[in-house]
Amino acid sequence: MAGQTGADPGLAEPGALCAQQAHRTYARRWVFLLVVSLVSCSNAMLWLSFAPVADIVAEHFVLSMAQVNWLSLVYLVVSTLFGLVAIWVLDSVGLRGATILGAWLNFAGSVLRIVPCMVVGTQNPFAFLMGGQSLCALAQSLVIFSPAKVAALWFPEHQRATANMLTTISNPLGVLVANMLSPALVKKGEDILLMLGVYAIPAGAVCLLSTICLRESVPPTPPSAGAASSTSEKFLDGLKLLVRNKAYVILAVCFGGCIGISYSFSTLLQQILCASGYSNGFSGLCGALFIAFGILGALALGPYVDRTKHFTEATKIGLCLVSLACMAFALVSLLQGQALALATTCSLLGLFGFSVTPVAMELAVECSFPVGEGAAVGLIFILLLLHPYTPGVAPCGPGPFSGRWGTSSVLLMAGLCNLFSCILVLFFHTSYRRLQAESGKSSSTQNACPGPSMALPAWNARRGASLEDPREPQSPHPICCRATPRAQGAAATDAPSRPGELAGSVLASRFIDQAGPHSSFSSPWVIT
C-alpha cells in the first residue's frame, strides 16, 4: 500500500511477520501531524495578537485596558469551561472531525474580528472582537488536547514522543510569532486592519488544507497494538477510571500545578518585571527567550525519550529543574539591575518547562491506558490552564516591591511549584500500561497472532469501514498465526462474537487469565 513502511516480509522472522501483518505505518501520518500543528500555531497567533499592541488597540476602539486583556484571557476561560466537551468530541467524534471543526472555528473567529475595521460606524466593536476571540478559543480546546491522540493513532511506538513534541511546540511557536509580528505591523490605529488581515490568511489556508487533506481519523491499519485499543473505554467510564487512578491523579495535580505556575510567570512577565523597574522591551525579550529555549529543549528531549522510554525519569527530573528555575526567577525578579540573571532564569524556565510538557503528556497516556488520549491529556490541560489567571493582574508602579506583585505572592507561587515537584517525585509510581500491552509479555501474545477477525474489528468500526474492505488484509500470514498449544484453549476462544466488539476486551482477558497472580506483568486494565 502506498505510504507503507517496513521491511520485506520475506526476510522477516515469524514474530516480525506478525507485527507487519497486524500493524502498519503510513507516510500520510506526517501530513496529519503537519495540519494539526499548523492549526495549533495559527490559533496561538490569534490568541495573543492583541496583547503586544494593547495600548493602540484600546485607543483605536475606545476600550479600556481591562477589555483588551480579556481578549486574551477569554481563551483560558473558554478552554476551561468547554474542556470536557472538547474531550468528548476528540474521543467520540474522532480526530479528523475535531481537527476540521477546530480549523473552521479558528477561521470564522479570525474573520469576525475584522468586521469592526471593515464596517464603518460599528456601534460595539468589542462585541465583534470578543466574539471572534471566543470562537478561536473554542478551536483551541479541540486543538490543544490532540497531540497525544495524533501520536497514538498514527505513529508507531518508537515515534510517539517525537510526534507529540512536534505538535505541542507549534503552540508556543505561534505565541512567539504573534509577539514579534504584531508590534512590527501595528504602529498606529489604522494598521490594525492590516494586522487582522495578515492573521486571517494563515487561518483560512489551514482551514482549507485540513478540509481537503484529512480523509480519515485513523489509518486503515493501526500502527501499534496500543492504537488498536485506543479509546476502548466510553467517555464517562473513562473519566471514572481516571479519577480512581492514583498515579494519574498525582501526575495531573502536580504536573498541572507546577507547569501552570511556570506558565503564569511567563504570561504575566511584564507585570512582574514592571514592579522592579524593567522596561517592556526587556520583558518581551525575556518572553521570547522563554519560548525559544523551550522549543530547543523539546526538540532534544522528545527523540531521547522515544529511544529510552524513560518517561517517568524525564518528567521527575524535568519538574525538579522547573521548580529550581521558578525559585531562581522569583528571587531575581524582585531585584533591580539583574538583567543578565533574569534573561538566564527565563531561558532555563522555558527550557525545562516546555521540554517536559510533551513527555508528561505521553506519561499520562501510559499510566491511564486504555482510557482515551483526549481524556487523559485534556484533564491535565484544564488544571494547567486554571493557574495563569489565579493571581490576578493589576497595574504596577516603580520600586522593587511595589504593586500587586510583591515579595510574598511571587515567592508563594515558587514555593507551591517546589511542593508539587516533591510530591510527584516521592509518591508517583506507575507501570507503562500501553507499552506493556504492546510488548506482548504474556504467553498468549508471544505465541499467537490475532488475525483480522480478532484484532481489527474495533479499528475498522471506528474507521466506519466494513470488515470486507478490499484494502485490508483478508487473511493472516500462515506462519504468524499458526496455532500452538499455549495459544489454544480459552485464549483461542476470546475472539469477539460481533464485529463491533472491542479488541481491548480480548487482550484484557488474556492478560488477566494467563499472566497469573505472581507474574511481573501488570495488566493495564487494573487501576492501582
Side-chain angles (χ1 to χ4, degrees):
M1 184 176 293
Q4 178 180 345
T5 62
D8 185 356
L11 302 178
E13 297 295 328
L17 287 170
C18 235
Q20 290 175 1
Q21 290 292 327
H23 309 131
R24 298 180 181 180
T25 56
Y26 298 84
R28 61 179 180 269
R29 69 188 185 275
W30 297 107
V31 176
F32 210 120
L33 183 141
L34 176 64
V35 171
V36 174
S37 300
L38 290 176
V39 175
S40 180
C41 183
S42 173
N43 184 263
M45 291 166 59
L46 294 170
W47 174 18
L48 295 181
S49 56
F50 295 113
V53 290
D55 53 344
I56 301 177
V57 172
E59 181 181 357
H60 181 73
F61 292 111
V62 194
L63 304 175
S64 65
M65 287 302 296
Q67 288 177 306
V68 177
N69 287 336
W70 271 107
L71 295 178
S72 299
L73 290 176
V74 67
Y75 265 66
L76 307 178
V77 177
V78 171
S79 296
T80 302
L81 295 178
F82 292 91
L84 292 179
V85 178
I87 292 173
W88 177 84
V89 172
L90 276 171
D91 286 342
S92 301
V93 176
L95 191 57
R96 174 181 178 270
T99 304
I100 294 178
L101 177 60
W104 276 99
L105 288 172
N106 195 57
F107 177 57
S110 67
V111 172
L112 185 59
R113 304 189 318 164
I114 303 178
V115 173
C117 297
M118 295 292 293
V119 180
V120 181
T122 303
Q123 295 297 324
N124 190 0
F126 180 72
F128 289 93
L129 297 177
M130 180 60 74
Q133 289 294 93
S134 299
L135 290 177
C136 296
L138 288 173
Q140 186 195 51
S141 302
L142 296 171
V143 173
I144 202 171
F145 299 164
S146 62
K149 198 166 191 68
V150 173
L153 296 181
W154 283 88
F155 286 83
E157 169 265 337
H158 63 280
Q159 293 179 349
R160 283 196 296 245
T162 300
N164 195 336
M165 174 270 299
L166 292 174
T167 314
T168 301
I169 65 174
S170 61
N171 194 269
L173 180 62
V175 173
L176 179 61
V177 171
N179 279 282
M180 297 174 61
L181 189 59
S182 291
L185 292 175
V186 178
K187 304 299 181 182
K188 55 184 183 299
E190 290 73 14
D191 297 334
I192 295 178
L193 174 61
L194 173 64
M195 178 192 72
L196 297 179
V198 168
Y199 284 127
I201 292 175
V206 172
C207 179
L208 182 63
L209 188 66
S210 63
T211 304
I212 295 176
C213 296
L214 302 186
R215 296 176 293 173
E216 52 200 356
S217 293
V218 296
T221 305
S224 64
S229 299
S230 173
T231 322
S232 59
E233 296 291 340
K234 295 181 180 180
F235 177 67
L236 293 179
D237 293 338
L239 293 181
K240 293 177 182 178
L241 289 178
L242 291 179
V243 174
R244 292 161 47 196
N245 189 330
K246 177 183 176 181
Y248 176 83
V249 171
I250 294 176
L251 178 64
V253 173
C254 295
F255 172 77
C258 189
I259 298 299
I261 290 174
S262 68
Y263 285 4
S264 298
F265 284 145
S266 65
T267 303
L268 303 174
L269 191 61
Q270 190 274 336
Q271 283 83 4
I272 298 175
L273 299 185
C274 175
S276 297
Y278 294 98
S279 65
N280 290 343
F282 178 72
S283 299
L285 173 63
C286 289
L289 290 174
F290 181 90
I291 297 173
F293 275 84
I295 293 175
L296 293 177
L299 289 173
L301 187 60
Y304 169 78
V305 174
D306 259 336
R307 292 193 305 268
T308 63
K309 307 304 176 189
H310 293 162
F311 298 103
T312 301
E313 294 83 352
T315 301
K316 289 184 176 181
I317 294 174
L319 286 188
C320 289
L321 295 175
V322 169
S323 300
L324 294 176
C326 279
M327 185 60 70
F329 175 81
L331 294 174
V332 176
S333 64
L334 299 175
L335 304 176
Q336 292 178 324
Q338 301 294 328
L340 180 60
L342 269 175
T344 302
T345 54
C346 287
S347 301
L348 293 176
L349 193 59
L351 177 67
F352 303 137
F354 274 124
S355 61
V356 77
T357 299
V359 177
M361 296 298 103
E362 285 295 302
L363 180 58
V365 175
E366 291 291 342
C367 74
S368 62
F369 185 84
V371 177
E373 297 83 10
V377 174
L379 289 182
I380 295 181
F381 265 107
I382 291 174
L383 290 175
L384 189 152
L385 291 172
L386 285 173
H387 291 82
Y389 49 87
T390 299
V393 182
C396 58
F401 305 117
S402 60
R404 184 67 173 265
W405 286 100
T407 307
S408 58
S409 59
V410 177
L411 294 179
L412 175 62
M413 294 177 66
L416 288 175
C417 188
N418 280 270
L419 176 63
F420 286 136
S421 299
C422 292
I423 293 175
L424 184 74
V425 170
L426 294 176
F427 299 106
F428 177 79
H429 306 284
T430 185
S431 58
Y432 300 155
R433 300 176 175 185
R434 181 172 60 177
L435 289 178
Q436 287 178 345
E438 293 171 343
S439 65
K441 289 185 178 180
S442 67
S443 58
S444 62
T445 56
Q446 291 174 350
N447 294 279
C449 174
S453 62
M454 186 174 296
L456 297 179
W459 187 261
N460 287 326
R462 293 173 61 191
R463 292 181 57 235
S466 169
L467 293 179
E468 303 299 328
D469 191 335
R471 295 178 299 176
E472 303 297 332
Q474 297 301 315
S475 60
H477 195 280
I479 297 178
C480 73
C481 288
R482 185 175 299 161
T484 64
R486 298 181 67 183
Q488 295 175 352
T493 62
D494 279 339
S497 60
R498 56 184 186 276
E501 190 170 349
L502 289 171
S505 60
V506 179
L507 297 177
S509 63
R510 292 181 177 182
F511 293 154
I512 295 173
D513 292 343
Q514 299 194 16
H518 304 291
S519 172
S520 60
F521 177 78
S522 176
S523 171
W525 281 263
V526 179
I527 304 299
T528 58

